[in-house]
Amino acid sequence: MADGPHKLYGSRFAKATSASVEGFNASLPIDRRLYEEDIAASIAHARMLGRRGIIPPDDARAIVNGLAQVHRELVAGGGPPADASWEDIHTLVEVRLRELVGSAGGRLHTARSRNDQVATDLRLWSRRALCDGIAAVLGLQAALLQRAEDDRGLILPGYTHLQRAQPVLLAHHWLAYVEMLSRDIGRLDDCYARVDVLPLGSGALAGAPYPLDRDFVAELLGFTRVSANSLDAVSDRDFVVEHLAALALIAVHLSRLAEELVVWSSAEFGFVEMDDAYATGSSIMPQKKNSDVAELVRGKSGRPVGALVALLVTLKGLPLAYNKDLQEDKEGYFRSADDSRDCLQLTAEMLATLRVRPERLRAAVSDPLLLATDLADHLTRLGVPFRQAHDTVGALVRDYQGRFADLSSEQLAVYSPRLAEGMPSLSPRASVRSRDVPGGTAPRQVAVALRRARRRHTADAVRLDARRRTLPSVQALAALPW
Ligand code: ARG
């Protein structure tokens, strides 16, 4: 360490690293948040080394106790420093360990490289983040399911091309987002299965010349399996790409919902009103109530998409195995996971406190044009080919717009003898009730869908709980019997 603290791995150098390189090279400001994972993985590694007699068991014990002490110190200090005082979190932890336990600490890095170490730490972090992400999605689903329950009787115009189309239940609309989010949970789940692989034991790139018990380390850390190829294990970041892709899609889903809340809050729609706690004012216009929270949820959707693309570009063209480029994998990833949790949480709160305005929904849904398809379907049920029925109703709308429902039988006869025989009684409620197919907006179907979504929600929560129990903790790993 003659060249100062930064040149920890530098006995082959004649010079200290340039000051300009120190900050550029260091990842501590970003990877400091991996300290729990780094220490947990190191404890598991030390236990295995001691058990296998690769290092003296007394040294392994000293290392584990020392690591637990480093952990306590870091927790007490609110985490590692955010400056570039050390190159990365792995270095900081090891340096402190060696200060605490002396030369025994120098045996921890036997059969290990920072390459398999960081890959392990990041996978441990991903496992927790995936669990937290699934929990946050479940939280938003719970808010949507509650809304679906509470708003069950309400009908609003459904839109295509943002033009009024056909009446739908508001509950059906909320449940559409429950479905999207359920697929998001599926994607996070899939990703978890591929994250759940232990890289430690891969060494720098080629494996390690010691009789390692990789399965034992995997078991301690709660990994289901160990990596099959050391070159791949130290350089694979597919799992981060996959997780980011899932987060990007969640952000896109949230952005769609946020957009609707913004539009529905406008005077033009007026379907909903944000709770005052989730809206903000204008610095100049005293009357304004702005949907800033929803707009920010919509606006932040660009960030995970950017992080995803940035990482793909970083990975493209990297030769095997580890390259320092990979250090760039974390910043956008961590930020995307944080953003995702915040956006899911705030959207859930916004929905839970949202005031729906039934009178505005009723006014909007009373537009008779929403029932034009129902009239065509009526003719079709009387035996008129649908295309012809569509033409007939289209002509009525062309000539009378929404007044087509009030025409005399003489007027109707011009368009269709079947209609002259009698107009059906059309209403928004009859319209939704008639769409009684699985997945349709009929109240009966929506009730079935709601029940099914609730069951799935409960099952997902139970599965998440079980998975969380496999996440390691430093305290538990340190306290295990020898
Ligand atoms: N800070 C590095 C990263 O995040 C840790 C691995 C460094 N390995 C190395 N051979 N320089 O990727």
Side-chain angles (χ1 to χ4, degrees):
M1 290 223 259
D3 287 324
H6 302 286
K7 208 77 170 179
L8 188 68
Y9 314 114
S11 59
R12 61 96 64 230
F13 295 94
K15 266 191 189 174
T17 313
S18 149
S20 57
V21 171
E22 299 291 0
F24 188 70
N25 192 43
S27 55
L28 186 60
I30 305 297
D31 62 25
R32 59 191 288 275
R33 64 190 281 179
L34 292 177
Y35 78 93
E36 304 251 12
E37 289 78 8
D38 194 71
I39 292 172
S42 287
I43 290 177
H45 183 64
R47 280 183 173 277
M48 182 275 292
L49 292 178
R51 219 170 118 108
R52 279 284 159 115
I54 297 169
I55 65 173
D58 283 348
D59 284 357
R61 232 175 294 238
I63 288 171
V64 170
N65 292 336
L67 285 168
Q69 172 66 20
V70 175
H71 183 250
R72 279 192 296 274
E73 289 176 6
L74 289 175
V75 170
D83 58 21
S85 48
W86 295 100
E87 186 182 324
D88 53 30
I89 187 61
H90 325 295
T91 308
L92 179 144
V93 169
E94 191 187 319
V95 165
R96 184 61 189 140
L97 173 72
R98 287 163 63 190
E99 281 170 7
L100 287 173
V101 310
S103 65
R107 296 194 193 278
L108 171 61
H109 213 56
T110 310
R112 186 178 78 169
S113 154
R114 280 182 298 160
N115 300 350
D116 56 350
Q117 195 178 351
V118 72
T120 302
D121 293 0
L122 194 56
R123 282 176 183 268
L124 282 170
W125 188 89
S126 298
R127 282 169 53 201
R128 185 175 298 282
L130 284 163
C131 289
D132 292 346
I134 291 172
V137 177
L138 286 171
L140 176 54
Q141 280 189 324
L144 286 159
L145 290 168
Q146 190 57 48
R147 280 245 73 104
E149 192 90 51
D150 296 346
D151 300 336
R152 195 146 37 166
L154 299 177
I155 304 178
L156 78 164
Y159 294 81
T160 64
H161 315 268
L162 203 55
Q163 307 287 333
R164 284 178 183 169
Q166 294 173 352
V168 291
L169 289 186
L170 180 53
H172 195 52
H173 194 100
W174 298 133
L175 288 176
Y177 286 99
V178 172
E179 289 305 311
M180 292 178 225
L181 293 168
S182 180
R183 292 193 296 278
D184 288 327
I185 288 177
R187 274 180 280 273
L188 295 172
D189 253 345
D190 286 354
C191 178
Y192 191 98
R194 277 179 293 277
V195 166
D196 192 12
V197 177
L198 174 77
L200 206 61
S202 300
L205 73 164
Y210 302 92
L212 304 183
D213 186 347
R214 297 190 66 203
D215 291 327
F216 177 66
V217 176
E219 195 186 313
L220 286 180
L221 296 175
F223 282 103
T224 309
R225 50 199 200 285
V226 304
S227 55
N229 181 296
S230 59
L231 292 165
D232 175 45
V234 294
S235 60
D236 161 36
R237 298 292 183 273
D238 307 4
F239 65 100
V240 181
V241 170
E242 279 188 57
H243 192 173
L244 279 172
L247 294 178
L249 200 40
I250 289 171
V252 167
H253 288 154
L254 292 184
S255 181
R256 296 183 67 186
L257 176 55
E259 162 67 8
E260 293 195 323
L261 294 177
V262 171
V263 169
W264 287 6
S265 301
S266 69
E268 283 69 15
F269 277 77
F271 290 177
V272 297
E273 186 184 349
M274 295 285 178
D275 188 87
D276 280 0
Y278 295 90
T280 49
S282 153
S283 63
I284 175 170
M285 295 166 281
Q287 86 286 8
K288 289 300 290 293
K289 178 169 180 179
N290 295 332
S291 314
D292 285 25
V293 176
E295 288 166 37
L296 280 171
V297 168
R298 190 178 58 189
K300 281 182 193 291
S301 59
R303 290 159 51 116
V305 176
L308 170 63
V309 174
L311 181 59
L312 285 167
V313 174
T314 294
L315 296 179
K316 181 195 170 296
L318 282 192
L320 288 175
Y322 179 85
N323 300 272
K324 189 79 169 199
D325 314 46
L326 292 171
Q327 180 164 288
E328 294 300 317
D329 58 358
K330 295 174 204 66
E331 189 171 7
Y333 183 31
F334 291 166
R335 201 190 50 221
S336 298
D338 293 346
D339 280 349
S340 181
R341 265 207 312 272
D342 291 350
C343 290
L344 285 161
Q345 168 73 31
L346 276 158
T347 305
E349 292 175 24
M350 218 162 29
L351 281 173
T353 54
L354 192 71
R355 188 171 75 82
V356 175
R357 301 175 65 192
E359 74 287 359
R360 296 294 303 239
L361 296 185
R362 263 195 303 277
V365 89
S366 69
D367 177 355
L369 287 175
L370 284 164
L371 304 173
T373 319
D374 293 79
L375 186 57
D377 285 324
H378 166 76
L379 284 173
T380 302
R381 274 192 297 271
L382 294 177
V384 178
F386 179 78
R387 185 52 58 220
Q388 189 185 324
H390 183 283
D391 283 350
T392 300
V393 178
L396 276 167
V397 169
R398 180 194 60 215
D399 297 342
Y400 295 101
Q401 285 81 45
R403 286 170 288 123
F404 66 83
D406 312 318
L407 302 179
S408 66
S409 62
E410 294 76 53
Q411 287 170 305
L412 288 168
V414 177
Y415 296 85
S416 153
R418 306 313 301 258
L419 280 184
E421 290 163 17
M423 273 293 253
S425 74
L426 301 173
S427 74
R429 192 142 306 270
S431 172
V432 292
R433 208 175 296 133
S434 70
R435 288 178 163 73
D436 193 13
V437 293
T441 195
R444 208 170 65 94
Q445 296 291 346
V446 172
V448 169
L450 181 55
R451 270 200 302 280
R452 193 172 291 148
R454 279 205 183 284
R455 273 202 300 278
R456 189 175 56 196
H457 189 266
T458 306
D460 283 348
V462 168
R463 220 151 28 91
L464 176 61
D465 258 15
R467 182 169 283 166
R468 264 198 200 287
R469 282 194 287 277
T470 72
L471 299 176
S473 90
V474 168
Q475 288 91 339
L477 283 169
L480 285 174
W482 285 86

